[in-house]
Amino acid sequence: MSSDNVDQNTAILPERLTLEQAVSTLALLKPALVRQPGPQVVLDASALHELDTSTVAVLLELRRVLQVQGKTLLVQHAPQRLRDLASLYGVQELLSV
């Protein structure tokens, strides 16, 4: 994932976001999302195909960081597996998936 995956109003999750990529993805997205203008940051998950519970943890941390800035996180185009994991952990409403 590169900084090309973040634009003015939408960030794009990589195809793979598992425990192995969690720290680097978080390190890339966190500062980029905080810099985005406006009260809502959109995260496009349409490219995401390989994920695990670490994906949910990354999204929750991004949400937490944005909340401190007075912003909200909206996850769009979440694959079914991500919606299932968010539901399993009871955080689907927190992540807007």
Side-chain angles (χ1 to χ4, degrees):
M1 189 161 105
S2 71
S3 59
D4 293 342
N5 287 356
V6 181
D7 71 22
Q8 181 87 4
N9 299 308
T10 304
I12 301 171
L13 286 175
E15 288 183 28
R16 184 172 194 228
L17 179 48
T18 61
L19 180 59
E20 193 175 301
Q21 297 81 27
V23 173
S24 62
T25 300
L26 192 57
L28 179 65
L29 285 177
K30 195 184 306 187
L33 294 181
V34 168
R35 285 192 306 266
Q36 287 188 8
Q40 185 175 67
V41 174
V42 178
L43 194 53
D44 183 347
S46 60
L48 187 61
H49 294 293
E50 190 174 341
L51 61 136
D52 62 15
T53 57
S54 300
T55 307
V56 174
V58 166
L59 294 175
L60 287 171
E61 174 61 9
L62 291 172
R63 179 185 180 273
R64 185 195 67 75
V65 168
L66 289 169
Q67 262 191 323
V68 170
Q69 301 291 320
K71 299 179 182 190
T72 59
L73 176 66
L74 175 62
V75 180
Q76 291 185 335
H77 311 294
Q80 186 62 48
R81 173 124 167 89
L82 178 56
R83 291 193 303 271
D84 290 346
L85 284 173
S87 179
L88 177 68
Y89 290 107
V91 297
Q92 67 275 15
E93 289 180 16
L94 294 176
L95 296 178
S96 302
V97 295

